[in-house]
Amino acid sequence: MARFTLPRDLYHGKGSLETLKTLKGKKAVIVVGGGAMKRNGFLQKAEDYLKEAGMEVMLIEGVEPDPSVTTVMNGAQKMIEFGPDWIVAMGGGSPIDAAKAMWIKYEYPDCTFEDMCKVFGIPELRKKAHFCAIPSTSGTATEVTAFSIITDYDKGIKYPIADFEITPDIAIVDPELAETMPQKLTAHTGMDAITHAIEAYVSTANCDFTDPLAIHAIEMIQADLVDSYNGDMDARARMHNAQCLAGMAFSNALLGIVHSMAHKTGAAFDDYGAHIIHGAANAMYLPKVIAFNAKDETAKKRYGVIADYMHLGGNNDDEKVTLLIEYLRGMNDKLNIPHCIKNYGADSYPCEQGFVPEEVFLERLPEIAKNAIGDACTGSNPRIPTQEEMEKLLKACYYDTEIDF
């Protein structure tokens, strides 16, 4: 038996933020990030709509990119003191992910972060509050997923929280919020979205309900991401829908080792002054993982189907896989994303020598590989890598070398 779960209601299109007026409750907390929602007036609008609905409103502001366990615990404590019956999270993936984890702790104050990380082990929520998610970026799709990514900075590891309980009750996908994205963020979130769709389509947990969502998302992203990056706001609006479709697919079909590797390398070199931004990590690793997974015949056929829907050509599945990899690398070039960690600058742009020194990467490689294999996303990948294979994969992602194993 399999399960397919989405938010009960999804409101989309320009002006759909007004849906907040219709929520029923006494108290709402709004969780937001670093200030873009306030600067662009969306936070005030959301607060006004909730007050119009008759609710007392409290703000939890300043959730950082790659939210920490500390941020989650502090926010949950504020919720415990305030007692909301609605949690409204708006902004990029970070405030929404943080709010999901706060929600768990709010409903179960004795729950530890370790408890949250038990895959599909969260107790029943909605005893105290319901959850509304409003994305301002077009990539993570956390507004429709059963996932949250929280970083333990003491360990330098990102942990996925995975449980259908944290799938939001309401998603509001209003493209006006996405118009505020800077160009670099548009690139990274867009490549995150296409990675979601491709990994969902070849996942061992794919099904008839997830496949159409993944394929249509891929077609839309192929058509609109580069134009969205270059400032076309109609394309930006379509990308906002496309990333949501990709999220619906992967929340139910799960992901693969592109995400496992991105989770475990993202904060691994934090002490060298930068992170490998999640979407950029996915963009760099995806071509390598496709080459690795395509050694599995079932996965190779499914990559071939993706290439067909993208009209890439090719006379057989091997040629189609090669063309798919070439296309994705070309997309990275158009979006100014490096091809490997060695050339990944601290500002995320391509450079001759990136911020991660070779000797440091090689020293930390065994531990990163072990953690990536243990990541929650690895189990649904078409090929489960050994420790040796994962180390070789990560080396290929550092040096941009070919996959021949």
Side-chain angles (χ1 to χ4, degrees):
M1 183 179 74
R3 178 175 174 177
F4 185 87
T5 300
L6 296 174
R8 184 183 184 281
D9 292 298
L10 191 152
Y11 298 90
H12 57 97
K14 288 197 172 186
S16 52
L17 186 64
E18 281 195 43
T19 304
L20 292 174
K21 292 180 184 178
T22 68
L23 301 189
K24 303 286 192 288
K26 294 179 180 177
K27 291 183 176 182
V29 61
I30 303 177
V31 182
V32 291
M37 292 297 93
K38 178 180 279 189
R39 286 193 304 275
N40 292 289
F42 294 113
L43 177 57
Q44 189 62 57
K45 278 187 181 179
E47 192 173 355
D48 290 345
Y49 290 149
L50 290 167
K51 287 178 178 175
E52 195 174 328
M55 287 194 244
E56 182 185 347
V57 180
M58 181 185 80
L59 304 181
I60 296 177
E61 300 182 75
V63 174
E64 73 276 36
D66 304 304
S68 67
V69 177
T70 301
T71 294
V72 167
M73 296 306 172
N74 289 343
Q77 185 56 44
K78 290 177 182 175
M79 289 184 186
I80 290 167
E81 292 165 6
F82 182 64
D85 37 30
W86 274 101
I87 298 168
V88 177
M90 67 186 303
S94 295
I96 299 174
D97 279 3
K100 286 179 174 180
M102 293 173 192
W103 185 22
I104 301 167
K105 182 73 173 176
Y106 167 53
E107 299 235 358
Y108 294 94
D110 294 333
C111 182
T112 65
F113 182 65
E114 289 70 25
D115 293 332
M116 294 182 195
C117 292
K118 293 171 185 171
V119 178
F120 295 101
I122 292 170
E124 184 180 349
L125 297 179
R126 297 164 181 82
K127 307 282 189 185
K128 296 180 180 178
H130 286 79
F131 195 100
C132 174
I134 309 165
S136 65
T137 60
S138 302
T140 68
T142 188
E143 72 274 8
V144 293
T145 75
F147 297 94
S148 164
I149 308 299
I150 305 298
T151 303
D152 185 331
Y153 284 93
D154 292 335
K155 296 179 180 176
I157 295 175
K158 294 183 179 182
Y159 289 96
I161 300 171
D163 198 292
F164 287 117
E165 285 296 322
I166 61 170
T167 304
D169 299 287
I170 292 175
I172 298 175
V173 185
D174 188 331
E176 289 183 340
L177 278 70
E179 291 178 3
T180 66
M181 282 194 298
Q183 193 176 48
K184 180 165 76 171
L185 187 59
T186 302
H188 293 163
T189 54
M191 290 308 293
D192 193 18
I194 200 167
T195 304
H196 289 156
I198 291 173
E199 288 211 291
Y201 192 74
V202 300
S203 160
T204 57
N206 73 76
C207 70
D208 291 339
F209 297 93
T210 59
D211 284 353
L213 294 166
I215 289 293
H216 191 48
I218 291 166
E219 291 176 314
M220 292 179 72
I221 295 165
Q222 180 186 20
D224 291 316
L225 175 54
V226 174
D227 288 342
S228 172
Y229 174 77
N230 289 323
D232 181 332
M233 288 303 157
D234 289 333
R236 182 79 54 91
R238 291 189 293 271
M239 271 300 302
H240 211 43
N241 289 345
Q243 64 85 30
C244 188
L245 294 172
M248 293 177 185
F250 92 76
S251 185
N252 292 279
L254 308 180
L255 291 165
I257 58 173
V258 178
H259 273 77
S260 303
M261 293 156 66
H263 292 154
K264 288 353 184 201
T265 53
F269 309 101
D270 182 52
D271 51 332
Y272 281 80
H275 277 204
I276 302 175
I277 296 170
H278 180 71
N282 284 338
M284 293 189 294
Y285 307 163
L286 180 59
K288 305 302 183 192
V289 170
I290 289 173
F292 175 79
N293 283 343
K295 303 291 191 292
D296 175 271
E297 285 299 317
T298 301
K300 180 163 68 173
K301 283 185 173 61
R302 292 183 77 80
Y303 287 129
V305 172
I306 291 171
D308 287 342
Y309 274 100
M310 294 175 73
H311 306 290
L312 300 181
N315 295 314
N316 55 54
D317 287 331
D318 288 315
E319 290 183 9
K320 291 172 185 178
V321 168
T322 298
L323 289 166
L324 177 60
I325 289 170
E326 287 177 0
Y327 182 90
L328 292 167
R329 288 176 64 87
M331 186 174 274
N332 287 350
D333 289 334
K334 290 175 183 175
L335 300 173
N336 207 17
I337 295 173
H339 290 296
C340 62
I341 300 170
K342 182 173 179 287
N343 301 130
Y344 183 94
D347 58 2
S348 84
Y349 293 124
C351 64
E352 191 65 32
Q353 178 55 57
F355 83 94
V356 181
E358 180 180 22
E359 64 276 10
V360 173
F361 174 81
L362 294 173
E363 178 189 339
R364 298 181 186 182
L365 176 61
E367 185 69 14
I368 292 170
K370 184 184 82 170
N371 290 333
I373 292 169
D375 188 88
C377 294
T378 298
S380 47
N381 195 69
R383 284 181 73 190
I384 304 299
T386 63
Q387 174 75 18
E388 180 186 4
E389 288 170 335
M390 181 58 84
E391 289 187 24
K392 287 168 75 174
L393 252 180
L394 285 161
K395 277 186 180 179
C397 292
Y398 185 87
Y399 298 107
D400 192 20
T401 49
E402 296 294 317
I403 302 296
D404 59 359
F405 55 93

